[in-house]
Amino acid sequence: MLSVRGVSKAYAGRRGETSALCPLDLDVGEGEFVSLVGPSGCGKSTLLHIVAGLEPATTGTVTLGGERVLGPGAELGVVFQQQTLFPWLSVRENVRFPLTLARHRGRARQAGSEREADRVERLLRLVDLWDFRDSAPAELSGGMQQRAALARALAARPEVLLMDEPFGALDAQTREEMQGLLLHVIQHHRIMTLFVTHDVEEALILSDRVVVFSERPGRVVATFDVPVPRADRSPDLKLDEALLRLKRDILSLLRGRARPEEQRRRLLLGLTHTPRGEDP
Ligand SMILES: Nc1ncnc2c1ncn2[C@@H]1O[C@H](COP(=O)(O)OP(=O)(O)O)[C@@H](O)[C@H]1O
Ligand SMILES: [Mg+2]
C-alpha cells in the first residue's frame, strides 16, 4: 500500500514562501486506481513529485509497503504530461532503459524470469508500437510518445504507477484512445496508480476513487468512490447515468470552491450534498 501521511509543501521564493499543499493524508490500496482532480495550481503535481521522490516534502512522509520513499526508484513508474523520452534513444531502447538500469543496480527482478528482450517486445506490442520500435521519439506523434512513455514506465515492473496529466497535451480523439489503452493495461496489470488530471470525466472513467482538492494550498475536500467494476469500464462510460451524476457533483464542488458565494447559494437551495466523510 502507498501511504501519504501529513505531507505538506511550501516553496521558498524571492517573495517569501508559497504554500502549495496543506498537510494531507492519502492512501492507495493494493491494485487501486486513484485520481486527483482540482483547480490549476492547487498542488497536484507537487504531491505527485513528492510521492515519486523527485521533490522533498516540507513535512510528512510517503511510504510504500511500509518503507519510506526517499528518492526515485524502480518501484515507481512515472509518466508526465511533457515529452520525457530520451531523444537520442530509439523507442525500443527507451522502453528497455529502466530494465538496464535495474540490472546495473543489481535490482533486476526475476519475476516470471521473462527475458528482457521478450518483456520489451510484449510491452511494445501492448501499446501498439512494435512497428515503430526502431524509430526515434521525434518521429512519433504525441499520442505515440505517451504510449512509449507508458511502456517505459511499466518496464521495470513498478509497484506504483504515477501519472501527471499524461494525456493533457493530446487532442480529444487521441486522448480517448489513450484512455481506452490505459483501461486495457490496468485490466491486465493490477497496479496501484495515482493519476492526476484536470478532466473530471477522465478521472471517473479510469478510477476506483476520485480525490478532489481545494484551491492552493491544496487539501482534500472530498473523496468519491466510482461504482463501476473494472471489467465494465470503457471510454463510453461517459453515457453512464451514475457517472454523469458523479461528474455533476464533482464539478459543482470544484466550482463551489472557486466561488464561495455560489457555494453558499447552492447550500441554501439544498443543491449541494455532503460528500463522504468531508465537510460540505
Ligand atoms: N519549483 C517550484 N518553485 C516554486 N513554486 C512552485 C514550484 N512548483 C510549483 N510551485 C507553485 O506551487 C503551486 C502548486 O503548483 P502545482 O503543484 O504545479 O499545481 P497543479 O499541478 O495542481 O497545477 C503553484 O502555486 C505553483 O506556482
Ligand atoms: Mg500540474
Side-chain angles (χ1 to χ4, degrees), residues 36-48 165 196-198 213:
L36 305 179
V37 298
S40 170
C42 74
K44 304 181 294 297
S45 296
T46 297
L47 179 63
L48 213 74
E165 311 231 14
V196 165
T197 179
H198 60 261
F213 272 32

Side-chain angles (χ1 to χ4, degrees), residues 26-184:
L26 184 72
D27 288 323
V28 184
E30 198 69 54
E32 197 182 17
F33 193 115
V34 175
S35 285
L36 305 179
V37 298
S40 170
C42 74
K44 304 181 294 297
S45 296
T46 297
L47 179 63
L48 213 74
H49 283 93
I50 292 171
V51 173
L54 296 167
E55 180 83 58
T58 304
T59 66
T61 57
V62 179
T63 57
L64 182 58
E67 306 229 343
R68 283 284 293 275
V69 175
L70 297 168
E75 61 281 7
L76 302 154
V78 296
V79 183
F80 293 127
Q81 176 175 355
Q82 70 280 13
Q83 221 266 82
T84 50
L85 298 171
F86 299 121
W88 62 89
L89 296 180
S90 71
V91 169
R92 177 168 30 190
E93 288 162 344
N94 264 286
V95 174
R96 188 190 292 145
F97 184 79
L99 293 171
T100 313
L101 199 63
R103 184 152 38 75
H104 281 300
R105 288 175 173 170
R107 295 247 298 279
R109 294 185 205 180
Q110 292 303 312
S113 69
E114 188 180 21
R115 278 181 53 237
E116 219 171 272
D118 294 341
R119 178 160 182 80
V120 171
E121 175 172 347
R122 199 166 57 74
L123 286 167
L124 284 169
R125 290 190 187 281
L126 178 71
V127 298
D128 200 18
L129 282 179
W130 180 243
D131 292 346
F132 292 86
R133 58 193 177 277
D134 295 320
S135 302
E139 297 173 89
L140 305 183
S141 69
M144 291 159 90
Q145 289 181 10
Q146 287 309 71
R147 268 148 50 197
L150 177 61
R152 186 180 63 176
L154 291 169
R157 292 191 177 79
E159 290 164 42
V160 185
L161 197 54
L162 302 169
M163 307 181 90
D164 190 0
E165 311 231 14
F167 314 143
L170 305 176
D171 62 85
Q173 195 192 328
T174 310
R175 198 180 168 93
E176 203 162 297
E177 282 166 21
M178 292 296 296
Q179 290 165 358
L181 173 70
L182 186 56
L183 278 172
H184 174 74

